[in-house]
Amino acid sequence: MITRYTRRELGDAWSDFARFDAMRQVEVAACEEMDGPTPAELDAIRGATFTVGAIDEREKVTDHDTAAFVDVLSESAGPAGRWIHYGLTSSDVLDTGLALQIKRVAELVLPDARGLVHALAAQARQHVDTLCAGRTHGIHAEPTTFGIKLAGFAFEADRNARRLERAFAQAAVGAVSGAVGTYSATSPDFEARVLARLGLDREPVSTQVVARDRHAELLQAIALAGAGLERFATELRHLARTEVNEVTEPFGRGQKGSSSMPHKRNPIKSEQVVGLARVLRGNASAAVENVALWHERDISHSSVERIILPDSTILLDHMQRRVLALVGGMVVNPARMRENLELTHGALFSQRVLLALVAAGSTRDDAYRVVQRLARRAVDERVALRSLLHDDSAGDGLDLDAIFDYEPFVRHAAEIIGRLDEIVPD
């Protein structure tokens, strides 16, 4: 992934050095559980080192990066190096090392996933009574509150955090089962001891490789989390439009919105999140393609994973941090929200008028036609629906004060937002 989106800790976790060091940890743990090496040899194995440059040079000869790694590490250990990779196959080291990297990446990525839940819940509680227009199909529907809107995002973020936690955990499994997964040179007990040293669960049947549906599940969870971030960013983009202007992105001192138009304050951070979510979905599709390997093993998945696992986790991390900043710094304009509620001149009270007419004895269809006619006039002629209803015979006997009251729309807002206590206790 390009430097622009990469937090240093994530970049380090996916570096070539980190990959080979994870493989080194697997090799050392395996040697520590073997019967052959002496204490002195184990000390030499534990002290064995490598450089990425040395491995790259060796790979020019071996045309096999794991074999090159084993050669360099074994040479560093001296005579004791004969025990390195003893009874193992490449996938034992590659897949188990990858599990260690995934576990480390989870430690870096998951806190912000949970932090986003808390940030959204805090803003939802703050705006429990902030009245705004609810929109369906992009059109004003009925009033809601900005807090209710944010509470929905908080619950979605919680589901995504839980999915990510499960997905990272089930993908961080190892295997030390040898060629085609039959333990012909080792044993299941040996595998269990090695994985226990590394703090990993095992793949029950590895077939030589850890099953790739696990990694596909992780990439699917990441793509879903990205879609949730995209949904929030899309909402913010719509609310930031000049014609709406209800919520805007934070705008820093010295920031420029356009190279040519000084008045612009574009929602560039939200747009970036929306764009990067597309990459996550594409990578998730590639991960699904990796599931069907030939027989016990091939390496068609390997080249793909070297791209999509680092890129997707790095992008998710970047997007989470971006949205956390947006949630914490967004500028909410309650006055404009109130002003926008009046754009339809009361037409968003149409359901309340409809129900009042039905309750007064009208058939539903007759009531619907009356309200539809009057609401259309209210919008087209820019006349308050209340006034039109007052002057129409259909409004005779109706309590217009009760009908044209915002309170019924938001009377359950506190109860709805109170459900956040299930995931983020107040």
Side-chain angles (χ1 to χ4, degrees), residues 68-400:
F69 160 77
V70 171
D71 287 351
V72 170
L73 195 68
S74 298
E75 182 179 340
S76 174
R82 66 196 178 103
W83 296 110
I84 291 175
H85 212 66
Y86 185 85
L88 306 185
T89 191
S90 295
S91 295
D92 292 332
V93 182
L94 290 170
D95 284 0
T96 307
L98 177 59
L100 291 174
Q101 287 182 278
I102 289 173
K103 189 174 181 180
R104 170 57 180 155
V105 168
E107 294 170 351
L108 295 170
V109 171
L110 291 177
D112 279 346
R114 183 53 54 192
L116 184 60
V117 181
H118 286 258
L120 286 164
Q123 288 280 30
R125 288 171 173 140
Q126 180 177 340
H127 290 284
V128 58
D129 296 320
T130 303
L131 199 66
C132 65
R135 297 170 173 88
T136 58
H137 307 279
I139 308 300
H140 281 205
E142 286 192 345
T144 182
T145 78
F146 193 53
I148 292 175
K149 188 188 292 282
L150 292 173
F153 285 110
F155 272 102
E156 181 178 22
D158 179 68
R159 290 191 297 274
N160 280 317
R162 293 175 190 273
R163 268 192 289 263
L164 287 168
E165 289 162 0
R166 293 192 301 268
F168 271 108
Q170 62 82 40
V173 300
V176 190
S177 56
V180 303
T182 61
Y183 305 100
S184 61
T186 56
S187 71
D189 181 64
F190 172 75
E191 176 187 60
R193 297 197 311 272
V194 173
L195 294 180
R197 280 185 175 272
L198 297 170
L200 298 173
D201 291 331
R202 73 173 181 183
E203 175 67 51
V205 179
S206 72
T207 75
Q208 188 166 327
V209 296
V210 169
R212 257 45 201 180
D213 64 286
R214 294 182 178 276
H215 305 81
E217 181 175 341
L218 174 57
L219 271 292
Q220 293 290 330
I222 289 173
L224 270 174
L229 299 172
E230 178 186 18
R231 190 172 80 90
F232 176 82
T234 298
E235 181 71 18
L236 200 157
R237 289 173 67 197
H238 282 308
L239 296 179
R241 285 178 296 140
T242 304
E243 295 82 357
V244 181
N245 194 31
E246 294 181 358
V247 185
T248 55
E249 289 188 1
F251 198 83
R253 183 183 298 275
Q255 183 177 342
K256 293 184 177 181
S258 167
S259 63
S260 60
M261 296 171 284
H263 74 280
K264 297 293 293 295
R265 291 193 174 191
N266 302 324
I268 57 171
K269 299 176 180 65
S270 300
E271 290 172 341
Q272 184 187 87
V273 169
V274 169
L276 294 178
R278 300 166 186 166
V279 179
L280 296 184
R281 287 193 287 276
N283 288 353
S285 177
V288 173
E289 296 294 330
N290 273 354
V291 173
L293 304 180
W294 283 20
H295 305 300
E296 277 62 49
R297 182 228 180 178
D298 67 52
I299 63 165
S300 60
H301 63 288
S302 176
S303 56
V304 182
E305 286 176 357
R306 291 181 190 226
I307 299 170
I308 64 174
L309 279 171
D311 281 10
S312 293
T313 52
I314 288 170
L315 284 182
L316 176 65
D317 176 70
H318 173 77
M319 292 164 66
Q320 286 181 158
R321 289 182 291 117
R322 179 67 88 197
V323 172
L324 270 169
L326 289 173
V327 172
M330 63 183 173
V331 180
V332 182
N333 189 344
R336 184 57 181 258
M337 290 177 175
R338 276 280 187 170
E339 182 181 340
N340 286 344
L341 282 169
E342 303 302 322
L343 287 176
T344 61
H345 304 280
L348 44 68
F349 288 92
S350 66
Q351 181 179 205
R352 291 189 54 74
V353 179
L354 169 66
L355 296 178
L357 290 173
V358 171
S362 178
T363 68
R364 181 178 179 84
D365 187 62
D366 287 345
Y368 190 100
R369 298 302 178 187
V370 168
V371 180
Q372 186 180 49
R373 172 176 56 83
L374 295 177
R376 190 70 266 159
R377 282 188 60 196
V379 174
D380 291 345
E381 299 174 17
R382 299 185 178 185
V383 177
L385 176 60
R386 176 172 178 155
S387 296
L388 294 174
L389 186 61
H390 177 273
D391 295 339
D392 194 281
S393 60
D396 293 346
L398 297 183
D399 185 346
L400 299 186

Side-chain angles (χ1 to χ4, degrees), residues 24-50:
R24 181 196 64 80
Q25 293 176 53
V26 177
E27 295 283 7
V28 171
C31 289
E32 289 173 330
E33 291 299 333
M34 289 177 192
D35 293 331
T38 66
E41 287 176 319
L42 283 176
D43 284 342
I45 291 168
R46 293 186 187 108
T49 60
F50 67 86

